[in-house]
Amino acid sequence: MTFTEFRPLDEKHLTEYIKATPALSGKVGNSFDDLKIKEVGDGNLNFVYIVVSPAGSLVIKQALPYVRCIGESWPMTKERAYFEALALREHGRLCPENVPEVYHFDRTMSLIGMRYLEPPHIILRKGLIAGIEYPLLAEHISSYMAKTLYHTSLLYRTTTEHKRDVAEFCGNVELCRLTEQVVFSDPYKASQYNRWTSPYLDRDAEAVREDNILKLEVAELKSKFCERAQALVHGDLHTGSVMVTHESTQVIDPEFAFYGPMGFDIGAFIGNLILAFYAQDGHADQGNDRKTYKEWILRTIKETWNLFYKKFTALWDEHKDGSGEAYLPGIYNNPELRQLVQKKFMQDLFHDTLGFGAAKMIRRLVGVAHVEDFESITDSSKRAKCERQALDLAKMLLKERRKFQSIDEVLSSILQQQ
Amino acid sequence: MTFTEFRPLDEKHLTEYIKATPALSGKVGNSFDDLKIKEVGDGNLNFVYIVVSPAGSLVIKQALPYVRCIGESWPMTKERAYFEALALREHGRLCPENVPEVYHFDRTMSLIGMRYLEPPHIILRKGLIAGIEYPLLAEHISSYMAKTLYHTSLLYRTTTEHKRDVAEFCGNVELCRLTEQVVFSDPYKASQYNRWTSPYLDRDAEAVREDNILKLEVAELKSKFCERAQALVHGDLHTGSVMVTHESTQVIDPEFAFYGPMGFDIGAFIGNLILAFYAQDGHADQGNDRKTYKEWILRTIKETWNLFYKKFTALWDEHKDGSGEAYLPGIYNNPELRQLVQKKFMQDLFHDTLGFGAAKMIRRLVGVAHVEDFESITDSSKRAKCERQALDLAKMLLKERRKFQSIDEVLSSILQQQ
Ligand SMILES: Nc1ncnc2c1ncn2[C@@H]1O[C@H](COP(=O)(O)OP(=O)(O)O)[C@@H](O)[C@H]1O
Ligand SMILES: Nc1ncnc2c1ncn2[C@@H]1O[C@H](COP(=O)(O)OP(=O)(O)O)[C@@H](O)[C@H]1O
Ligand SMILES: [Mg+2]
Ligand SMILES: [Mg+2]
Ligand SMILES: [Mg+2]
Ligand SMILES: [Mg+2]
Ligand SMILES: [Mg+2]
């Protein structure tokens, strides 16, 4: 059997495919009798197979030409796998500690072979729901974001490199359009796909659709998303795109990658931690009131931003005489000015982060795709109470983001509201 | 003779070329005995030939693989002709009244055949130096800018169209880099190419290189220039890229075209009018004190912005239910909100315009390429006095641009300083 044309794989054909592909068959020790294959895709879009043999393991991810959770009625280019592979490789090169290795990519088959993130790795969102602390999470994710965002921006690259890569990732337009729709548009209008915890949040969802100031602000963020090619962003960096153990943090699933605003990634991650925070009251029980855990989440939010700030500016300082074309050494190499420039850059980025983070929160509360953090709260009145708090905070953040000077002030707002 | 490989043309080969090219030979009535050919390129980069026969006329513009005014020591891709032709055609489609028709483009030869803008058309800058009023200039140029910028932005286009065109124009990277260097970098550092009216402006040029706040602000503008794909901009819209008569306004030379911030074009034009204003005192003589003319220039600046504002928002209103993806009708179609959104958009654009306009002024006073408005003032102490006023205004505008609410306030600042 050859695979010269696209076809959706099943477990039988998957074995054939691995046999025929040296880069993959080597990973399972070239023995195919004891292969265990399991489809585990719990995501919204694609099929993911875990392949394990006594000699080794790997993961196969395949994109089909539609949105998995909706079906063939919502077509979506399978070329997204190409951009996912490109981003995995680029981010993996920049931050190998936190990105699974790509063993193989097949554009015809829209298929990626990559490292299996073996147990006890679990999806971070599930760990957050279970109330598990990850002491190294902020340290790791801040490194990942600082390294990937810094090195793909004009702080590090030349205009020539930048425009070449921007042009390439313009090809991932269908995925960008999907984000535009579900993050920046649908929540702010009547849409058949929107959902919320009804009837409790009916008025809240309506209020979002009628809030002129909110719509004004979300338009500014959308225009940054569509127009500002600041760095190669992951594009979908929520807590369901991160797998963790106590020692390891791995970022998967960058199929939405493109050159966009850095704050979109940082905001996605922080916004989803804030969602996890607000969901905790719904998971509290007699054995665990989740109070300590909520404090850990807030601490992790704070450390994520502060460590990102530190690492990003450290990279900037380190490469200040490098070939990055944004701030040429001949102009900006005086310490006072560099500090001034960095402070302004980081403050703008902070405000973008809060804005995009808030927009990502809102869309998970009144848009098409919700998060398990809340969905797993079975008592819907309890769930609605948690969700409303999250929504109120997000709306305030989106509108008032420019007033915040530090992440501490954001945490204070959250605590005051409790 | 065939032209299957690139070769720089001279007058003899030009005739051969026209003979061999039906789209061109038709324009001169297929008679080649009385062809008059004249090289008139007074620009910095390319060769321009006017071809006239009793039966008709045309212009041939050819790009050579270097910067004309410097020579082969400054290489520059001849592919710029491809982007110029692309932009001429796109802008011509959107605003045929103000863009010369393209008859022919030859990518191999980096050669454009276009309409000859016959006398009395002259370069606007020369008209401004001569003190000639053009009563329709603001009306025409505001139409050109409103039409070309609106229709190539996400206000009018879909994301799919936008990203396709952004990717294409990423190819014009060498010209973008040239702008980055000469507009946003060289004036703010010691550079072998920088010039100014010495010794008068020695301290002023040094002050530009030592002004931290100015460098902070110019960095923000540069980042917008490099990262923000807002619309297809002309990229070099100074008064030397506009040919005029009393009735006609024609925009030529968009070889720097790319998807960038709209304010870069509007600022280029307005900034160059402000330069023309400050140069007037150097052209005053006993016969003409240029007072009335200075008032006309200020009026033209004011009308250019105000008419642009009116026409741009009128296009926006007209197409509010169209397929533009920035502000979806389902979200933004309530009159109060649309007004709010437009006001914010136009205010941001105004501040960009002032910032880019100021940066374009500064680079013409202390950078590599100066403008004839000042260069033609032979008395260098008089010239320096005019230039210093322009420089002071530009520095203030660049730093304080966000404080200005209207173009009237800008004109007041200019008048106060006089
Ligand atoms: N490299 C991997 N190792 C282990 N599990 C993985 C790996 N990649 C994906 N998975 C599992 O498959 C699920 C879906 O993968 P994901 O890349 O997020 O797909 P989708 O694009 O459909 O969201 C993840 O939530 C995770 O449980
Ligand atoms: N279509 C035209 N009709 C008449 N003259 C033209 C035309 N195009 C260019 N010119 C003349 O040639 C000069 C240089 O053309 P331009 O396109 O500005 O070249 P460059 O890119 O070298 O600046 C212009 O200043 C103008 O005098
Ligand atoms: Mg996923
Ligand atoms: Mg995915
Ligand atoms: Mg020119
Ligand atoms: Mg030119
Ligand atoms: Mg801003």
Side-chain angles (χ1 to χ4, degrees):
Chain A
M1 165 152 304
T2 56
F3 298 89
T4 50
E5 269 183 21
F6 177 79
R7 58 173 300 163
L9 288 179
D10 50 29
E11 302 196 7
K12 178 171 154 286
H13 289 117
L14 198 60
T15 307
E16 298 297 323
Y17 187 89
I18 294 169
K19 271 192 196 167
T21 312
L24 299 178
S25 47
K27 293 292 165 188
V28 291
N30 293 302
S31 74
F32 307 99
D33 296 339
D34 287 338
L35 277 195
K36 288 210 183 64
I37 298 184
K38 201 172 133 194
E39 208 281 314
V40 295
D42 61 349
N44 293 323
L45 262 65
N46 304 290
F47 290 81
V48 176
Y49 300 89
I50 292 172
V51 183
V52 180
S53 86
S57 63
L58 54 86
V59 153
I60 298 284
K61 179 171 180 178
Q62 189 179 34
L64 268 48
Y66 55 84
V67 173
R68 174 182 183 162
C69 68
I70 307 273
E72 304 194 26
S73 66
W74 192 333
M76 182 58 53
T77 175
K78 56 187 168 53
E79 270 292 273
R80 62 188 186 263
Y82 171 72
F83 295 101
E84 176 163 354
L86 216 57
L88 275 174
R89 282 183 163 142
E90 175 75 351
H91 287 167
R93 200 176 58 75
L94 296 170
C95 190
E97 315 81 66
N98 303 110
V99 179
E101 187 188 342
V102 174
Y103 300 144
H104 170 73
F105 174 62
D106 180 337
R107 194 162 183 173
T108 305
M109 290 288 285
S110 298
L111 181 154
I112 302 171
M114 69 180 115
R115 178 187 155 199
Y116 171 40
L117 299 167
E118 67 293 338
H121 277 102
I122 59 168
I123 286 290
L124 171 58
R125 194 186 297 286
K126 293 190 190 288
L128 293 165
I129 294 166
I132 305 168
E133 295 187 15
Y134 295 97
L136 297 175
L137 177 61
E139 186 71 51
H140 290 164
I141 204 78
S142 62
S143 289
Y144 166 82
M145 295 192 302
K147 287 181 189 170
T148 58
L149 297 176
Y150 176 79
H151 290 105
T152 58
S153 78
L154 283 165
L155 294 170
Y156 184 74
R157 309 286 267 303
T158 65
T159 293
T160 308
E161 297 163 331
H162 182 73
K163 288 218 191 279
R164 180 198 61 209
D165 290 0
V166 169
E168 166 97 293
F169 277 93
C170 276
N172 205 14
V173 55
E174 275 200 45
L175 281 278
C176 290
R177 292 195 71 200
L178 182 56
T179 301
E180 286 173 38
Q181 180 185 339
V182 300
V183 177
F184 299 105
S185 300
D186 281 355
Y188 304 91
K189 66 200 248 292
S191 157
Q192 51 163 325
Y193 297 113
N194 289 344
R195 288 195 302 113
W196 56 85
T197 301
S198 187
Y200 307 97
L201 298 186
D202 288 359
R203 273 295 306 139
D204 303 76
E206 196 188 348
V208 168
R209 296 194 300 270
E210 287 175 356
D211 189 330
N212 280 357
I213 303 300
L214 202 63
K215 292 174 172 190
L216 183 70
E217 292 296 344
V218 89
E220 179 171 327
L221 292 168
K222 182 178 176 184
S223 116
K224 274 202 184 155
F225 180 84
C226 296
E227 295 171 352
R228 185 164 190 201
Q230 194 180 22
L232 177 60
V233 299
H234 177 286
D236 197 24
L237 194 54
H238 55 82
T239 50
S241 296
V242 181
M243 295 190 76
V244 285
T245 69
H246 272 79
E247 294 80 32
S248 162
T249 305
Q250 302 292 325
V251 178
I252 60 169
D253 196 14
E255 66 191 319
F256 286 82
F258 77 113
Y259 274 75
M262 296 180 183
F264 192 73
D265 273 2
I266 317 168
F269 188 75
I270 287 179
N272 275 269
L273 284 184
I274 301 178
L275 290 178
F277 172 87
Y278 282 108
Q280 292 304 316
D281 287 350
H283 302 306
D285 56 30
Q286 288 184 323
N288 186 347
D289 65 6
R290 299 281 179 127
K291 283 221 166 76
T292 322
Y293 194 61
K294 285 170 77 174
E295 284 165 16
W296 175 79
I297 296 179
L298 292 186
R299 225 161 45 236
T300 300
I301 292 170
K302 174 175 166 156
E303 282 175 13
T304 296
W305 173 258
N306 287 340
L307 287 171
F308 171 80
Y309 191 115
K310 207 179 103 190
K311 293 172 187 181
F312 190 90
T313 51
L315 284 170
W316 188 336
D317 289 340
E318 184 188 336
H319 297 286
K320 67 181 163 43
D321 299 314
S323 51
E325 290 192 334
Y327 298 89
L328 299 180
I331 307 174
Y332 294 95
N333 256 355
N334 94 53
E336 192 193 335
L337 176 56
R338 197 165 65 253
Q339 237 185 6
L340 210 61
V341 158
Q342 287 184 348
K343 208 175 142 211
K344 181 169 185 311
F345 184 100
M346 296 309 283
Q347 171 157 312
D348 287 349
L349 181 51
F350 185 57
H351 294 155
D352 280 6
T353 296
L354 298 183
F356 286 120
K360 300 277 263 178
M361 290 174 67
I362 291 170
R363 75 96 152 196
R364 295 296 193 179
L365 297 162
V366 298
V368 52
H370 287 231
V371 288
E372 200 183 328
D373 310 66
F374 292 116
E375 297 299 283
S376 57
I377 302 169
T378 44
D379 176 340
S380 57
S381 106
K382 201 193 253 182
R383 180 169 73 243
K385 212 179 136 211
C386 296
E387 289 177 327
R388 179 176 293 123
Q389 282 203 317
L391 186 59
D392 288 345
L393 190 274
K395 284 168 61 177
M396 182 278 290
L397 268 190
L398 189 50
K399 293 194 242 186
E400 313 282 334
R401 65 190 186 279
R402 294 179 200 82
K403 294 187 185 143
F404 289 87
Q405 298 290 324
S406 72
I407 192 74
D408 282 316
E409 291 174 19
V410 177
L411 300 189
S412 298
S413 288
I414 293 175
L415 289 170
Q416 266 165 40
Q417 182 214 36
Q418 289 280 294
Chain B
M1 166 149 305
T2 56
F3 298 89
T4 50
E5 268 181 25
F6 176 81
R7 58 173 300 164
L9 288 179
D10 51 30
E11 301 194 9
K12 177 168 155 288
H13 289 117
L14 199 59
T15 308
E16 298 296 323
Y17 188 88
I18 294 168
K19 272 192 194 164
T21 311
L24 299 178
S25 48
K27 294 291 164 188
V28 290
N30 293 300
S31 74
F32 308 98
D33 296 339
D34 286 338
L35 277 196
K36 287 209 182 66
I37 297 182
K38 201 173 136 196
E39 208 282 316
V40 295
D42 61 349
N44 293 323
L45 262 64
N46 303 290
F47 290 81
V48 175
Y49 301 88
I50 292 171
V51 183
V52 180
S53 86
S57 63
L58 55 87
V59 153
I60 298 284
K61 180 171 180 179
Q62 188 179 36
L64 267 49
Y66 55 83
V67 174
R68 175 181 183 163
C69 68
I70 307 273
E72 305 193 26
S73 66
W74 192 332
M76 182 59 52
T77 176
K78 56 189 168 52
E79 270 292 274
R80 62 187 186 265
Y82 170 71
F83 295 101
E84 176 163 356
L86 216 56
L88 275 175
R89 284 183 162 142
E90 174 74 351
H91 286 169
R93 198 176 59 76
L94 296 170
C95 191
E97 314 82 66
N98 303 110
V99 179
E101 187 188 344
V102 174
Y103 301 143
H104 171 74
F105 173 63
D106 181 337
R107 194 162 182 173
T108 306
M109 291 287 286
S110 299
L111 181 154
I112 302 171
M114 68 182 119
R115 177 187 155 197
Y116 171 40
L117 299 166
E118 67 292 338
H121 278 103
I122 60 167
I123 285 289
L124 171 58
R125 194 185 298 285
K126 295 190 188 289
L128 292 165
I129 294 165
I132 305 169
E133 294 188 16
Y134 296 97
L136 297 175
L137 178 61
E139 186 73 48
H140 289 163
I141 204 78
S142 61
S143 288
Y144 166 82
M145 295 192 301
K147 287 180 188 171
T148 59
L149 298 176
Y150 176 80
H151 289 105
T152 59
S153 78
L154 282 166
L155 294 170
Y156 183 74
R157 308 287 266 306
T158 65
T159 293
T160 309
E161 296 163 332
H162 182 74
K163 289 220 189 278
R164 180 200 59 209
D165 289 0
V166 169
E168 166 98 291
F169 277 93
C170 276
N172 205 15
V173 54
E174 273 199 46
L175 282 276
C176 289
R177 291 195 72 201
L178 182 55
T179 302
E180 286 173 38
Q181 181 186 339
V182 299
V183 177
F184 300 105
S185 301
D186 281 355
Y188 305 91
K189 65 200 249 290
S191 157
Q192 53 164 321
Y193 297 113
N194 288 344
R195 289 195 300 114
W196 55 84
T197 301
S198 188
Y200 307 96
L201 298 186
D202 288 358
R203 273 296 306 140
D204 303 78
E206 195 186 351
V208 168
R209 296 193 300 270
E210 288 174 356
D211 188 330
N212 281 357
I213 303 300
L214 202 64
K215 291 175 173 190
L216 183 69
E217 292 297 343
V218 89
E220 179 172 327
L221 292 167
K222 181 177 176 185
S223 118
K224 273 200 186 158
F225 179 83
C226 295
E227 295 172 351
R228 186 163 190 201
Q230 194 178 22
L232 177 60
V233 298
H234 177 286
D236 198 24
L237 193 54
H238 56 82
T239 51
S241 295
V242 180
M243 296 191 72
V244 286
T245 68
H246 272 78
E247 293 82 30
S248 163
T249 305
Q250 302 292 325
V251 178
I252 60 170
D253 196 14
E255 68 191 317
F256 285 82
F258 77 114
Y259 275 75
M262 297 180 181
F264 192 73
D265 274 2
I266 316 169
F269 188 76
I270 287 180
N272 275 270
L273 284 185
I274 301 178
L275 289 178
F277 172 88
Y278 283 108
Q280 293 305 316
D281 287 351
H283 302 305
D285 56 30
Q286 288 183 321
N288 186 347
D289 65 7
R290 299 281 179 126
K291 282 224 166 72
T292 323
Y293 194 62
K294 284 170 79 173
E295 284 164 18
W296 175 80
I297 296 180
L298 291 187
R299 223 160 46 236
T300 300
I301 291 170
K302 175 174 166 157
E303 282 175 14
T304 296
W305 173 258
N306 288 340
L307 288 171
F308 171 79
Y309 192 116
K310 206 178 104 190
K311 292 172 188 183
F312 190 89
T313 51
L315 284 170
W316 189 334
D317 289 339
E318 184 188 337
H319 297 287
K320 68 178 161 42
D321 299 313
S323 52
E325 290 194 333
Y327 297 89
L328 299 182
I331 307 175
Y332 294 95
N333 255 357
N334 91 54
E336 191 193 334
L337 177 56
R338 198 165 63 255
Q339 237 185 6
L340 209 62
V341 159
Q342 285 184 349
K343 208 177 141 208
K344 181 171 186 309
F345 184 101
M346 296 309 285
Q347 171 157 312
D348 287 349
L349 181 52
F350 184 58
H351 294 156
D352 280 6
T353 295
L354 298 183
F356 286 120
K360 300 276 262 178
M361 290 173 67
I362 292 170
R363 76 95 152 200
R364 295 295 193 180
L365 297 162
V366 298
V368 52
H370 287 231
V371 288
E372 201 183 329
D373 310 64
F374 293 115
E375 298 298 285
S376 57
I377 303 169
T378 44
D379 176 338
S380 56
S381 107
K382 200 195 257 182
R383 180 168 74 244
K385 211 178 139 216
C386 297
E387 289 177 325
R388 180 176 292 123
Q389 282 202 318
L391 186 58
D392 288 344
L393 190 275
K395 284 168 61 177
M396 183 278 290
L397 267 190
L398 188 51
K399 293 194 243 187
E400 313 282 334
R401 64 190 186 280
R402 295 178 200 83
K403 295 189 184 140
F404 288 86
Q405 299 290 324
S406 71
I407 191 76
D408 282 316
E409 292 174 18
V410 177
L411 300 189
S412 300
S413 287
I414 294 175
L415 289 171
Q416 266 166 39
Q417 183 213 36
Q418 289 280 294

